[in-house]
């Protein structure tokens, strides 16, 4: 069954906000590589408030300096030409996502932010988008640059696409996405795959 809907991660996939996650963790007093949102959820109210302010300051600055990943605008135009619907599912806050997309001139019929659904890797946001589109998971792919995107997609039963421009071969391999997109600027093999997607076709 051909792909009729694409759900994109935002930061690191459609855009580069140059967020320094390790700097955020240092400011929050969190150990390296700990997941930010999950860590915040476990904090006392006072700590969570302090750390939310740090997160919002960094994300707000990221929204103002974000740039499109190469080839994204043309890729989205091509998707529209092919009648493929597009949505965003992000762990960012709603206002940050809205500001980022508006600044960069991107429009999506659906944007699911962290206030709108359980955060990735929870698949609920993906299921909600499929339902809203009235598409079966078979006809939809989740496109993202991190393992949470791939896990969420797999759990929702959609196809998974790893945007791998900044990922190591080992990371991409271990996440086991159905398709590996090296670059939005050279999408020919992706469009071919999207017409006849096969699971595990990397
Ligand atoms: Mg990302």
């Amino acid at each position: 069954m051909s792909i009729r809907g694409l759900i994109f991660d935002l930061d690191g996939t459609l855009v580069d906000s140059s967020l320094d996650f390790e700097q955020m963790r240092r400011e929050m007093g969190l150990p390296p590589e700990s997941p930010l949102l999950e860590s915040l959820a476990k904090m006392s109210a006072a700590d969570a408030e302090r750390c939310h302010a740090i997160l919002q300051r960094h994300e707000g600055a990221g929204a103002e300096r974000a740039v499109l990943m190469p080839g994204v605008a043309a890729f989205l135009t091509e998707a529209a030409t092919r009648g493929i619907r597009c949505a965003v599912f992000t762990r960012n806050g709603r206002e940050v996502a809205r500001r980022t997309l508006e600044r960069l001139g991107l429009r999506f019929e659906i944007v699911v932010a962290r206030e709108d659904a359980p955060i990735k890797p929870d698949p609920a946001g993906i299921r909600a988008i499929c339902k809203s589109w009235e598409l079966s998971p078979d006809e939809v792919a989740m496109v993202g640059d991190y393992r949470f995107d791939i896990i969420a997609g797999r759990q929702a039963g959609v196809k998974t696409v790893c945007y791998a421009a900044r990922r190591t071969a080992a990371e991409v391999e271990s996440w086991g996405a159905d398709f590996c997109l090296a670059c939005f600027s050279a999408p020919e093999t992706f469009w071919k795959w999207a017409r006849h997607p096969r699971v595990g076709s990397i």
Side-chain angles (χ1 to χ4, degrees):
M1 202 173 274
S2 298
I3 296 295
R4 297 173 63 201
L6 292 171
I7 304 173
F8 295 90
D9 168 53
L10 183 57
D11 193 35
T13 301
L14 294 177
V15 311
D16 180 5
S17 306
S18 302
L19 292 177
D20 187 341
F21 291 105
E22 284 310 321
Q23 175 63 25
M24 282 190 239
R25 289 183 187 102
R26 279 194 293 276
E27 290 180 33
M28 293 178 187
L30 293 173
E33 296 189 25
S34 48
L36 287 173
L37 298 177
E38 288 81 352
S39 301
L40 259 67
K42 291 179 197 152
M43 289 177 183
S44 68
D47 279 347
E49 190 178 335
R50 179 183 65 83
C51 290
H52 266 295
I54 294 168
L55 181 65
Q56 282 184 343
R57 174 164 49 79
H58 279 272
E59 285 186 338
E64 298 306 320
R65 71 174 168 248
V67 294
L68 286 179
M69 290 296 190
V72 161
F75 185 95
L76 294 173
T77 301
E78 178 67 25
T81 301
R82 290 169 182 259
I84 295 174
R85 307 175 84 166
C86 292
V88 167
F89 181 27
T90 175
R91 283 164 59 102
N92 279 350
R94 194 186 293 146
E95 178 53 30
V96 164
R98 188 202 62 75
R99 174 65 183 154
T100 303
L101 294 170
E102 178 194 73
R103 259 196 67 242
L104 297 173
L106 297 185
R107 280 166 194 254
F108 288 89
E109 56 171 314
I110 303 175
V111 177
V112 176
R114 66 171 169 253
E115 296 91 338
D116 304 317
I119 52 175
K120 290 176 285 189
D122 192 297
I126 297 174
R127 292 200 178 113
I129 294 168
C130 291
K131 194 169 175 200
S132 161
W133 281 340
E134 298 183 350
L135 292 179
S136 93
D138 259 5
E139 302 172 289
V140 174
M142 175 74 215
V143 184
D145 73 311
Y146 190 51
R147 66 187 169 91
F148 285 173
D149 301 307
I150 308 306
I151 294 169
R154 195 179 300 128
Q155 289 191 355
V158 301
K159 302 289 190 297
T160 54
V161 176
C162 179
Y163 175 61
R166 296 179 179 185
R167 294 299 178 190
T168 65
E171 283 175 316
V172 172
E173 171 82 29
S174 68
W175 299 343
D178 299 319
F179 187 87
C180 181
L181 178 63
C183 178
F184 285 106
S185 303
E188 294 76 16
T189 54
F190 174 81
W191 294 123
K192 209 174 279 181
W193 173 82
R195 283 183 62 83
H196 303 286
R198 297 280 180 269
V199 172
S201 63
I202 291 180

